[in-house]
Amino acid sequence: MTFDQGVLADSLSETAGYKAGLALSVEELCDALSGTSYPDTIRASEEYVVRLRSEEYEALFYKLLHRIGYTAEEYDGDVTGAKYFHKYRDTALEQWTGVTKLYVRMWPKMMKAAHEAKTKQMDPRPFIMAAYKKYGQLGVTMAMERIEALNKAVTLSPHSLIRYRKWHSPIALAALFKGSKEAPELGRFIDQRYIDFLSQNEDKLALMHWRKFEQLTAEFFDREGYSVELGPGSNDEGVDVRVWKPGDEVTENPHCLIQCKRQKDKVEKVVVKGLMADVQFEGADLGLVVTTSELSPGSRSTIAARSYPIKEIDKNGLSRWLQKLRTPGTGIVRV
């Protein structure tokens, strides 16, 4: 594949933007691919014509999708599901071969049925049921693996127009760090695309805009079933997020008051004392400090000595939050 000057970066940005919904600059592309040789290739392509084998371009694209959080694991490019042959060759090769033959025979018919019904969705149940009838539960597992391999191939390929979700508008990755008033397309307080990016780039948490950090905190509790009020962002008198237990009215005293501290330095006890004053004033059950750093030893000593109902979510806790938020969690987190 030959890319004229500037075309490689444009291609990657546009195609990743179409699939993942994130608009990336040249420098953001290079930053996402740091630790590989790809940034050198992309920067060189801004000045010169570059050539890549098709498999090299695909590998570059799959790594980019993973690094910006679109895929939880980097796609290996296995279009045919060949890796499953190695999985079953010593234990169930006959069944795997049989399911493969069913797939080859039945898939074109299911594609034709979808075409005649004028739908973009295929019904895989005839294939799955045929595999179950012949090989039982193992057949179902093999059939699902075959479908998954095909789905990943067409959804993640830079050459296809198929994607997991249709985004109505791209969002700029830079807005995560500079701030924006753009309403999230997926999510109540912060867009899912930012969450997915951060789940693969936790080192960027401390660099994100302070308002986005507050929105991330509010999003977590909202998805866990709490009633949430995000403060105005300024003149909030030290309370960034208010949380009520599921079922409680927001006119009642809040369950928890949250102070968000997106910073590198440890959170000093003056913050803890201020939060405790707010907890007492509003009649809340407890206070929570959410920080990209951690509480200082003095803060922890103050909390212990005075039996303050103050808890902490540090950078390790934020990491756990992000992994839950990648796919909205269930159940209630009690703080």
Side-chain angles (χ1 to χ4, degrees):
M1 301 175 67
T2 301
F3 297 89
D4 289 336
Q5 181 181 354
V7 172
L8 177 59
D10 287 347
S11 173
L12 289 170
S13 181
E14 290 176 10
T15 310
Y18 176 80
K19 298 280 188 180
L22 276 181
L24 303 165
S25 67
V26 173
E27 285 308 309
E28 287 168 341
L29 286 171
C30 293
D31 182 59
L33 295 165
S34 62
T36 72
S37 62
Y38 295 131
D40 292 337
T41 301
I42 293 172
R43 291 191 178 98
S45 74
E46 291 295 286
E47 300 183 36
Y48 310 104
V49 174
V50 298
R51 296 184 65 186
L52 296 173
R53 297 194 304 272
S54 60
E55 61 268 27
E56 289 177 319
Y57 177 72
E58 289 168 2
L60 164 56
F61 185 70
Y62 298 146
K63 185 169 287 294
L64 177 62
L65 289 185
H66 174 59
R67 290 289 184 88
I68 63 175
Y70 186 66
T71 56
E73 298 178 353
E74 186 175 337
Y75 179 48
D76 58 11
D78 182 13
V79 176
T80 64
K83 64 183 178 184
Y84 295 114
F85 165 77
H86 299 288
K87 176 180 177 180
Y88 294 115
R89 65 179 180 180
D90 295 328
T91 57
L93 182 58
E94 180 181 348
Q95 294 91 328
W96 184 84
T97 302
V99 170
T100 300
K101 289 180 179 178
L102 284 174
Y103 170 80
V104 172
R105 185 174 76 248
M106 298 183 67
W107 207 258
K109 296 178 181 179
M110 291 187 290
M111 290 178 62
K112 182 179 179 181
H115 178 72
E116 290 176 348
K118 297 182 180 181
T119 177
K120 295 181 180 180
Q121 297 181 335
M122 285 180 53
D123 183 359
R125 286 178 293 181
F127 169 51
I128 296 171
M129 292 305 299
Y132 175 73
K133 184 176 181 179
K134 197 163 186 179
Y135 301 108
Q137 187 58 48
L138 178 60
V140 172
T141 300
M142 291 178 171
M144 293 300 296
E145 288 171 342
R146 174 66 69 172
I147 293 169
E148 179 188 29
L150 177 63
N151 182 55
K152 283 185 176 180
V154 297
T155 304
L156 301 180
S157 171
H159 312 301
S160 84
L161 295 177
I162 299 175
R163 51 186 173 175
Y164 286 124
R165 178 180 174 85
K166 180 180 179 181
W167 299 102
H168 295 290
S169 61
I171 57 173
L173 179 59
L176 176 63
F177 306 103
K178 297 179 180 178
S180 70
K181 296 182 179 180
E182 195 173 7
E185 187 172 324
L186 180 60
R188 182 182 171 195
F189 294 100
I190 190 171
D191 201 287
Q192 184 66 42
R193 288 167 282 185
Y194 290 142
I195 294 171
D196 290 345
F197 174 82
L198 290 168
S199 72
Q200 295 294 341
N201 297 273
E202 294 180 7
D203 59 312
K204 306 293 187 188
L205 275 166
L207 302 177
M208 65 190 297
H209 191 270
W210 59 268
R211 187 58 170 171
K212 294 297 182 188
F213 187 61
E214 293 177 354
Q215 291 168 352
L216 175 65
T217 299
E219 186 76 25
F220 177 81
F221 283 94
D222 181 69
R223 293 196 191 180
E224 291 298 322
Y226 291 89
S227 295
V228 177
E229 178 186 271
L230 177 65
S234 60
N235 299 319
D236 55 17
E237 298 183 354
V239 179
D240 298 317
V241 182
R242 290 173 174 84
V243 171
W244 288 262
K245 290 181 180 179
D248 286 356
E249 297 292 333
V250 296
T251 53
E252 301 175 16
N253 293 346
H255 167 56
C256 179
L257 302 183
I258 303 176
Q259 177 70 261
C260 300
K261 289 295 181 182
R262 182 232 54 192
Q263 60 187 52
K264 294 181 180 179
D265 296 332
K266 294 182 179 181
V267 180
E268 296 297 339
K269 59 184 177 182
V270 64
V271 173
V272 169
K273 289 181 177 180
L275 180 57
M276 186 60 207
D278 289 325
V279 168
Q280 292 175 331
F281 179 75
E282 297 197 22
D285 297 324
L286 73 156
L288 180 68
V289 177
V290 180
T291 177
T292 51
S293 180
E294 62 180 341
L295 295 181
S296 69
S299 295
R300 293 199 174 99
S301 296
T302 298
I303 291 171
R306 301 188 181 187
S307 299
Y308 282 172
I310 302 290
K311 296 189 177 182
E312 170 193 12
I313 293 293
D314 61 8
K315 56 186 176 182
N316 295 321
L318 285 169
S319 177
R320 292 191 292 271
W321 279 16
L322 288 170
Q323 296 313 309
K324 288 201 72 174
L325 287 171
R326 266 201 68 88
T327 301
T330 58
I332 301 299
V333 174
R334 307 207 179 276
V335 297

